[in-house]
Amino acid sequence: MLSIRNLQASIEDKQILRGLNLEVGAGEVHAIMGPNGSGKSTLGNVLAGRESYNVTGGSVTFDGKDLLSLSPEDRAREGLFLAFQYPVEIPGVSNINFLKTAVNEIRAYKGFSPMEAKDFLNMVKEKQGLVEFDAKLANRSLNEGFSGGEKKRNEIFQLAMLQPKLSILDETDSGLDIDALRIVANGVNQLRSKENAFILITHYQRLLEYIVPDFVHVLYKGRIVRSGTKELALELEEKGYDWLKETVDAEAEKAI
Amino acid sequence: MITQLTTSLYNQLVMAAPDCLQPGQEPKTFTDIRSQSFRKFKQLGFPTMKLEDWKYINLQGLVNQSYSLEDSLPGRPVAHERAHIPGLASYHLVMVNGAFRPDLSDSIEDSGITVMPMAEALDELLFAKHFAAYADKTDNPFVALNTALFQNGLFISFDKGSVAAKAIHIIHVVAGSESLFSQTRNLIVMGPNSSADIVETFITEQGAGKSLNNLVSEVVLEESARMQHYILQTASSQSSYLTHTEIHQSKYSLYNNYNCTFPGASFVRNNINVRLAEADVEGHLYGITLTADDQLVDNHTIVDHLKPHCESYEWYKNIVQDASTAVFNGKIFVREDAQKTNAFQQNNNMLIGDKSTVYSKPQLEIFADDVKCSHGCTIGQFNEQSLFYLRARGIGEEQARILLVHAFAFDVTSRFSNEAVKNYVERLVEEGL
Ligand SMILES: Nc1ncnc2c1ncn2[C@@H]1O[C@H](COP(=O)(O)OP(=O)(O)O)[C@@H](O)[C@H]1O
Ligand SMILES: [Mg+2]
């Protein structure tokens, strides 16, 4: 489904991604872990098409299409979804109106007519339940005055509404208490299917107890330096990121 | 020897004035007011950019040309459907080139409401009491000119307790191929406890020539009167406007002004002054200015707190595109007597065009000590993070910008009490982007 080859990206002339490779197939859940500043959010943003990041090399194909040549909206319409680490607040844009616009633009892209108001509201109700999202929140301005946890739940609510093929969750677990974490994880688990895939970006192993990944990768200095199964996450948790940094840096020195 | 010197509007007006000001045609007190006003206008002349209140707008291009001073075809047929507001229950009052046209207008059936052309109102008691009692106290030369030489306009009065069941929609149409200078003078008197929604729309008929339109309205709210006043500037580029609206409020009255300007009219200067002349009054001014091309829209407002326990809330939003310019100049006076005043002012600007300009000047002058006043001003562009967030959800760039402009205007549009007008304005904002 997603194939990333030798991806290199910079921001403000600072090289962040330095040759990243990753293959994600349909039905798979990949976790990407790594110390702060290693480039995890950069990867998510580059895949979603944020223009402030410059792709300086490599390629990304998404279901056979050249992802990097698409506008951010077309990537979303093709089925890519980024749950933001820091969702923005947009006062004056209602959550519902925003979602209706998004759902219908994606439908229009695929050649479908706008959703009937009744069907849309039924879907809202159903998906709200999935992430135990308060009905009142859905009627408010987009993320305005939401707590950190409410914002993250709203991201998953949107994910449920838009039904993407590939979802990238950027530290959706950070700042969540254990109940909220369970709600978010439950939501994601119910959305998992053979057809879609997830990339879970996380700093901690905690989330992976609730959403069990098929693969775990460690990102460090803009490259994937270790890949394995869920045991890798446990090892990392146990030995810590300092251990990882030391061994990886030592390997790099030896190579020179 | 005959020399033709009528190359500028000023010369034209000076030549035309004696006819207009001739004694005997109108009541003497009225002719006296006119003559006095004309002397004032001659003394002041057209304002130049050297004057603080006119420093951002160059009028020379507009006044250094000649115009027809009268409509050559006063009863001309005119289409005004373009100004109609979907879903708004309203009485249409149509003004063509400044003149009230009963033949194109609805008659108002609600009891206690009187509508007549200004020229027929000269003998009304309310006219004698209120005409030129407010706007002419200012030093706006265009008010003096209007008072001296206007021929047309509307007089509307509401008897005590009368309520307009539908909105009164005044449609100002500019029509005809000639270059026209037109003047309109309106007086609206809301008796005690009366209530109305008044909507004014400005439109230009297709193919109309260049015009300069000088409108002065005096609005009087007596005790406990309530008025929602919507001003929708939707005229085309060949039409230019100077408007002066002076509002005088008595005890317990409520006045809301919603001043909306859209792409089109190349030059618009609005003066809106609300005088909170007695205690326990609420007077609020809201504005949305969406400009495009090389439009210039200048809103000058005064909120004048004269007595205690009054509240005013002012919020103007400017969205400037292309090479257009928007000016916001908002003065708030809190006079010595106006203790316990609550006055709030906010002006937010969104600069979209590379060559667009905004001038914002809030001015607070406070002479009372026990008051709550605040003002603020912001200037920004599209928020890139918000734009990306929306696009990352599949919303196209254009639609995302529309959503963000709606969001920007929301603080103001959410105050509209009339739902049909609100929807209409939101649509005009969308179309104007
Ligand atoms: N907008 C930005 N401007 C400049 N540097 C940035 C910006 N965003 C991220 N960076 C830098 O890029 C590096 C990687 O950041 P990020 O991708 O956010 O890491 P992670 O998500 O793994 O913590 C960091 O060194 C960070 O300081
Ligand atoms: Mg991050």
Side-chain angles (χ1 to χ4, degrees), chain B residues 231-258:
Chain B
I231 298 169
L232 312 175
Q233 177 50 265
T234 64
S236 311
S237 63
Q238 65 269 47
S239 310
S240 294
Y241 293 86
L242 300 151
T243 81
H244 186 112
T245 307
E246 189 85 19
I247 302 103
H248 185 89
Q249 290 190 254
S250 303
K251 254 188 166 177
Y252 307 122
S253 63
L254 167 73
Y255 176 81
N256 281 324
N257 183 295
Y258 308 88

Short mmCIF file of all heavy atoms in Angstrom, two decimals, chain B residues 231-258:
data_model
loop_
_atom_site.label_atom_id
_atom_site.label_comp_id
_atom_site.label_asym_id
_atom_site.label_seq_id
_atom_site.Cartn_x
_atom_site.Cartn_y
_atom_site.Cartn_z
N ILE B 231 -26.73 47.45 6.49
CA ILE B 231 -26.32 48.21 5.31
C ILE B 231 -25.49 47.29 4.43
O ILE B 231 -24.44 46.80 4.85
CB ILE B 231 -25.54 49.47 5.73
CG1 ILE B 231 -26.45 50.37 6.56
CG2 ILE B 231 -25.01 50.20 4.50
CD1 ILE B 231 -25.74 51.50 7.24
N LEU B 232 -25.99 47.02 3.24
CA LEU B 232 -25.33 46.07 2.36
C LEU B 232 -24.88 46.78 1.09
O LEU B 232 -25.69 47.11 0.22
CB LEU B 232 -26.28 44.92 2.01
CG LEU B 232 -27.01 44.29 3.21
CD1 LEU B 232 -28.01 43.24 2.76
CD2 LEU B 232 -26.02 43.67 4.19
N GLN B 233 -23.60 47.04 1.00
CA GLN B 233 -23.05 47.77 -0.15
C GLN B 233 -22.66 46.75 -1.22
O GLN B 233 -21.64 46.07 -1.08
CB GLN B 233 -21.86 48.60 0.32
CG GLN B 233 -21.12 49.36 -0.77
CD GLN B 233 -21.99 50.19 -1.68
OE1 GLN B 233 -22.38 49.74 -2.75
NE2 GLN B 233 -22.30 51.41 -1.25
N THR B 234 -23.48 46.63 -2.26
CA THR B 234 -23.21 45.64 -3.31
C THR B 234 -23.19 46.28 -4.70
O THR B 234 -23.39 45.60 -5.71
CB THR B 234 -24.27 44.51 -3.31
OG1 THR B 234 -25.55 45.08 -3.63
CG2 THR B 234 -24.37 43.81 -1.97
N ALA B 235 -22.96 47.58 -4.76
CA ALA B 235 -22.98 48.28 -6.05
C ALA B 235 -21.75 47.91 -6.88
O ALA B 235 -20.84 47.24 -6.41
CB ALA B 235 -23.04 49.78 -5.83
N SER B 236 -21.73 48.36 -8.14
CA SER B 236 -20.63 48.03 -9.05
C SER B 236 -19.59 49.14 -9.12
O SER B 236 -19.79 50.23 -8.58
CB SER B 236 -21.19 47.76 -10.44
OG SER B 236 -22.26 46.86 -10.36
N SER B 237 -18.51 48.84 -9.84
CA SER B 237 -17.33 49.70 -9.75
C SER B 237 -17.55 51.13 -10.21
O SER B 237 -16.89 52.05 -9.74
CB SER B 237 -16.17 49.07 -10.52
OG SER B 237 -16.52 49.01 -11.89
N GLN B 238 -18.51 51.36 -11.13
CA GLN B 238 -18.68 52.74 -11.62
C GLN B 238 -19.39 53.64 -10.62
O GLN B 238 -19.53 54.84 -10.83
CB GLN B 238 -19.40 52.75 -12.97
CG GLN B 238 -20.83 52.23 -12.98
CD GLN B 238 -20.92 50.75 -13.28
OE1 GLN B 238 -20.20 49.94 -12.70
NE2 GLN B 238 -21.82 50.36 -14.17
N SER B 239 -19.86 53.05 -9.53
CA SER B 239 -20.59 53.84 -8.53
C SER B 239 -19.70 54.12 -7.32
O SER B 239 -19.00 53.24 -6.84
CB SER B 239 -21.83 53.08 -8.05
OG SER B 239 -22.58 52.61 -9.15
N SER B 240 -19.74 55.36 -6.87
CA SER B 240 -18.97 55.75 -5.68
C SER B 240 -19.91 56.38 -4.67
O SER B 240 -20.91 57.00 -5.04
CB SER B 240 -17.87 56.73 -6.05
OG SER B 240 -16.93 56.09 -6.88
N TYR B 241 -19.56 56.22 -3.40
CA TYR B 241 -20.50 56.62 -2.35
C TYR B 241 -19.83 57.39 -1.23
O TYR B 241 -18.73 57.05 -0.78
CB TYR B 241 -21.17 55.38 -1.73
CG TYR B 241 -22.06 54.67 -2.70
CD1 TYR B 241 -21.54 53.73 -3.57
CD2 TYR B 241 -23.42 54.99 -2.78
CE1 TYR B 241 -22.36 53.09 -4.50
CE2 TYR B 241 -24.24 54.35 -3.70
CZ TYR B 241 -23.70 53.40 -4.56
OH TYR B 241 -24.50 52.78 -5.47
N LEU B 242 -20.56 58.43 -0.80
CA LEU B 242 -20.22 59.11 0.44
C LEU B 242 -21.47 59.00 1.29
O LEU B 242 -22.53 59.46 0.87
CB LEU B 242 -19.92 60.58 0.16
CG LEU B 242 -18.76 60.84 -0.80
CD1 LEU B 242 -18.96 62.14 -1.56
CD2 LEU B 242 -17.46 60.87 0.00
N THR B 243 -21.38 58.32 2.41
CA THR B 243 -22.59 58.23 3.23
C THR B 243 -22.30 58.75 4.63
O THR B 243 -21.19 58.61 5.14
CB THR B 243 -23.14 56.78 3.34
OG1 THR B 243 -22.40 56.07 4.33
CG2 THR B 243 -23.06 56.04 2.02
N HIS B 244 -23.31 59.32 5.21
CA HIS B 244 -23.20 59.79 6.59
C HIS B 244 -24.47 59.38 7.31
O HIS B 244 -25.57 59.77 6.92
CB HIS B 244 -23.03 61.31 6.61
CG HIS B 244 -22.77 61.86 7.99
ND1 HIS B 244 -21.57 62.42 8.36
CD2 HIS B 244 -23.57 61.90 9.09
CE1 HIS B 244 -21.63 62.78 9.64
NE2 HIS B 244 -22.83 62.48 10.10
N THR B 245 -24.34 58.54 8.32
CA THR B 245 -25.50 58.11 9.10
C THR B 245 -25.30 58.57 10.53
O THR B 245 -24.30 58.22 11.16
CB THR B 245 -25.64 56.57 9.06
OG1 THR B 245 -25.64 56.15 7.69
CG2 THR B 245 -26.93 56.12 9.72
N GLU B 246 -26.22 59.37 10.99
CA GLU B 246 -26.10 59.92 12.34
C GLU B 246 -27.26 59.38 13.17
O GLU B 246 -28.43 59.56 12.80
CB GLU B 246 -26.16 61.46 12.24
CG GLU B 246 -25.85 62.19 13.50
CD GLU B 246 -24.34 62.42 13.72
OE1 GLU B 246 -23.56 62.33 12.76
OE2 GLU B 246 -23.97 62.66 14.89
N ILE B 247 -26.93 58.69 14.25
CA ILE B 247 -27.96 58.05 15.06
C ILE B 247 -28.04 58.74 16.41
O ILE B 247 -27.02 58.94 17.08
CB ILE B 247 -27.67 56.54 15.26
CG1 ILE B 247 -27.57 55.83 13.91
CG2 ILE B 247 -28.74 55.87 16.11
CD1 ILE B 247 -26.17 55.54 13.46
N HIS B 248 -29.26 59.08 16.80
CA HIS B 248 -29.46 59.76 18.07
C HIS B 248 -30.37 58.91 18.95
O HIS B 248 -31.50 58.61 18.58
CB HIS B 248 -30.11 61.12 17.80
CG HIS B 248 -30.25 61.96 19.04
ND1 HIS B 248 -29.28 62.82 19.49
CD2 HIS B 248 -31.28 62.06 19.92
CE1 HIS B 248 -29.68 63.40 20.59
NE2 HIS B 248 -30.89 62.96 20.89
N GLN B 249 -29.84 58.47 20.10
CA GLN B 249 -30.60 57.52 20.92
C GLN B 249 -31.06 58.09 22.24
O GLN B 249 -30.29 58.71 22.97
CB GLN B 249 -29.72 56.30 21.22
CG GLN B 249 -29.46 55.43 20.02
CD GLN B 249 -28.81 54.12 20.43
OE1 GLN B 249 -27.63 53.94 20.23
NE2 GLN B 249 -29.58 53.20 21.01
N SER B 250 -32.34 57.81 22.56
CA SER B 250 -32.87 58.19 23.87
C SER B 250 -32.91 56.98 24.79
O SER B 250 -32.68 55.85 24.37
CB SER B 250 -34.29 58.76 23.72
OG SER B 250 -34.26 59.85 22.84
N LYS B 251 -33.28 57.27 26.03
CA LYS B 251 -33.35 56.27 27.10
C LYS B 251 -33.81 54.88 26.69
O LYS B 251 -34.80 54.73 25.98
CB LYS B 251 -34.38 56.76 28.13
CG LYS B 251 -33.78 57.29 29.38
CD LYS B 251 -34.90 57.54 30.37
CE LYS B 251 -34.28 57.74 31.73
NZ LYS B 251 -35.28 58.05 32.73
N TYR B 252 -33.16 53.88 27.20
CA TYR B 252 -33.55 52.46 27.03
C TYR B 252 -33.62 51.99 25.58
O TYR B 252 -34.14 50.92 25.31
CB TYR B 252 -34.90 52.15 27.70
CG TYR B 252 -35.00 52.56 29.14
CD1 TYR B 252 -35.99 53.44 29.56
CD2 TYR B 252 -34.08 52.07 30.09
CE1 TYR B 252 -36.08 53.83 30.88
CE2 TYR B 252 -34.17 52.46 31.41
CZ TYR B 252 -35.17 53.34 31.81
OH TYR B 252 -35.26 53.73 33.11
N SER B 253 -33.15 52.79 24.66
CA SER B 253 -33.27 52.35 23.26
C SER B 253 -32.12 51.42 22.90
O SER B 253 -31.08 51.39 23.57
CB SER B 253 -33.29 53.55 22.33
OG SER B 253 -32.08 54.26 22.43
N LEU B 254 -32.35 50.66 21.84
CA LEU B 254 -31.33 49.72 21.35
C LEU B 254 -31.15 49.92 19.86
O LEU B 254 -32.12 49.89 19.09
CB LEU B 254 -31.76 48.27 21.62
CG LEU B 254 -30.93 47.22 20.87
CD1 LEU B 254 -29.55 47.06 21.49
CD2 LEU B 254 -31.65 45.87 20.86
N TYR B 255 -29.91 50.12 19.45
CA TYR B 255 -29.63 50.27 18.02
C TYR B 255 -28.47 49.37 17.65
O TYR B 255 -27.42 49.39 18.29
CB TYR B 255 -29.28 51.73 17.70
CG TYR B 255 -28.88 51.95 16.27
CD1 TYR B 255 -29.84 52.08 15.26
CD2 TYR B 255 -27.53 52.02 15.90
CE1 TYR B 255 -29.47 52.27 13.93
CE2 TYR B 255 -27.16 52.21 14.58
CZ TYR B 255 -28.14 52.33 13.60
OH TYR B 255 -27.77 52.51 12.29
N ASN B 256 -28.66 48.53 16.61
CA ASN B 256 -27.58 47.71 16.07
C ASN B 256 -27.35 48.09 14.63
O ASN B 256 -28.28 48.06 13.83
CB ASN B 256 -27.95 46.22 16.11
CG ASN B 256 -27.78 45.63 17.49
OD1 ASN B 256 -26.86 45.99 18.22
ND2 ASN B 256 -28.67 44.74 17.86
N ASN B 257 -26.13 48.43 14.29
CA ASN B 257 -25.80 48.73 12.90
C ASN B 257 -24.86 47.65 12.37
O ASN B 257 -23.84 47.34 13.00
CB ASN B 257 -25.12 50.11 12.84
CG ASN B 257 -24.81 50.52 11.42
OD1 ASN B 257 -23.98 49.90 10.74
ND2 ASN B 257 -25.46 51.58 10.96
N TYR B 258 -25.22 47.06 11.24
CA TYR B 258 -24.39 46.03 10.61
C TYR B 258 -24.00 46.56 9.23
O TYR B 258 -24.83 46.62 8.33
CB TYR B 258 -25.17 44.72 10.45
CG TYR B 258 -25.83 44.23 11.71
CD1 TYR B 258 -27.11 44.66 12.06
CD2 TYR B 258 -25.17 43.35 12.56
CE1 TYR B 258 -27.72 44.21 13.23
CE2 TYR B 258 -25.78 42.89 13.72
CZ TYR B 258 -27.05 43.32 14.05
OH TYR B 258 -27.67 42.87 15.19
#
